[in-house]
Amino acid sequence: MTKPPKSAAGASRQRTKPQASKAAARRVLVLHGPNLNLLGTREPHIYGSETLDDINQRLAQLGRGYGAVVECFQSNHEGALIERVHAAKMQKYAYIIINPAGYTHTSVALRDALTGVGIPFIEVHISNVHAREPFRHHSYFSAVATGTICGLGSRGYDLALQFALQPKN
Ligand code: DQA
């Protein structure tokens, strides 16, 4: 009698203990670009009165409700954001949510980092960039993002996270 090929034997071994290891929690990285650390005091008529900490805490809680881990990172430095994106690949993040802030309109390098690691991402803007100055109308990110949410205030982050945590996404 011929033996099953090794790969098939391996596959059947895997099937015999499906509950042995708990599935790893889904991980989502939320990246905030320059000046978003000033939320709460920065042009509140445009960006609202919530602080970045308020938003991050809400996202972490929302994530826990889905059994997911949400990590947030803000930097005023392009290179730091790029390096955080590179690290996300090793750390097996399933999704990135990013508000590139001012880098939206300038940074080929940050866009290249996101396409380079191949982690799907959603672009979020608190304000409606299309209703503002013409230099805010172009984004280097929108064409390579899963989608873009803008103008819904900080709720845009919640909606992006809910989308990212749908099992099929
Ligand atoms: C922003 C819009 C950008 O044009 C601006 O530079 C920001 C914030 C937003 O969330 O609405 O810093 O990304």
Side-chain angles (χ1 to χ4, degrees):
M1 202 173 86
T2 48
K3 280 186 181 172
K6 273 201 170 111
S7 58
S12 79
R13 261 203 307 280
Q14 277 176 4
R15 274 199 303 273
T16 56
K17 42 179 179 176
Q19 277 100 23
S21 66
K22 236 180 130 193
R26 205 165 161 85
R27 290 158 68 82
V28 176
L29 179 62
V30 181
L31 292 176
H32 304 284
N35 302 306
L36 293 172
N37 54 313
L38 301 180
L39 286 179
T41 56
R42 175 192 183 194
E43 300 174 279
H45 56 292
I46 297 175
Y47 298 113
S49 55
E50 274 172 306
T51 65
L52 191 60
D53 212 39
D54 293 335
I55 295 170
N56 288 344
Q57 282 184 29
R58 197 178 65 233
L59 293 175
Q61 193 179 358
L62 186 59
R64 280 194 292 275
Y66 284 83
V69 174
V70 176
E71 190 178 313
C72 302
F73 177 79
Q74 187 277 331
S75 181
N76 296 319
H77 302 278
E78 192 174 19
L81 291 162
I82 290 169
E83 282 172 3
R84 192 67 194 82
V85 170
H86 293 175
K89 172 109 180 140
M90 296 295 294
Q91 295 162 342
K92 303 215 182 313
Y93 282 93
Y95 236 101
I96 293 176
I97 293 168
I98 183 167
N99 182 346
Y103 290 140
T104 306
H105 321 295
T106 64
S107 184
V108 174
L110 185 52
R111 167 192 161 131
D112 284 350
L114 288 158
T115 54
V117 298
I119 300 173
F121 74 92
I122 300 168
E123 175 186 358
V124 172
H125 300 285
I126 295 168
S127 66
N128 180 355
V129 285
H130 301 290
R132 299 181 63 192
E133 303 94 321
F135 68 82
R136 295 186 203 275
H137 297 179
H138 176 259
S139 164
Y140 278 102
F141 297 82
S142 302
V144 286
T146 304
T148 300
I149 299 173
C150 79
L152 303 184
S154 72
R155 276 219 62 207
Y157 290 104
D158 307 29
L159 297 169
L161 183 58
Q162 281 165 348
F163 181 88
L165 292 175
Q166 296 304 304
K168 63 182 187 315
N169 291 327

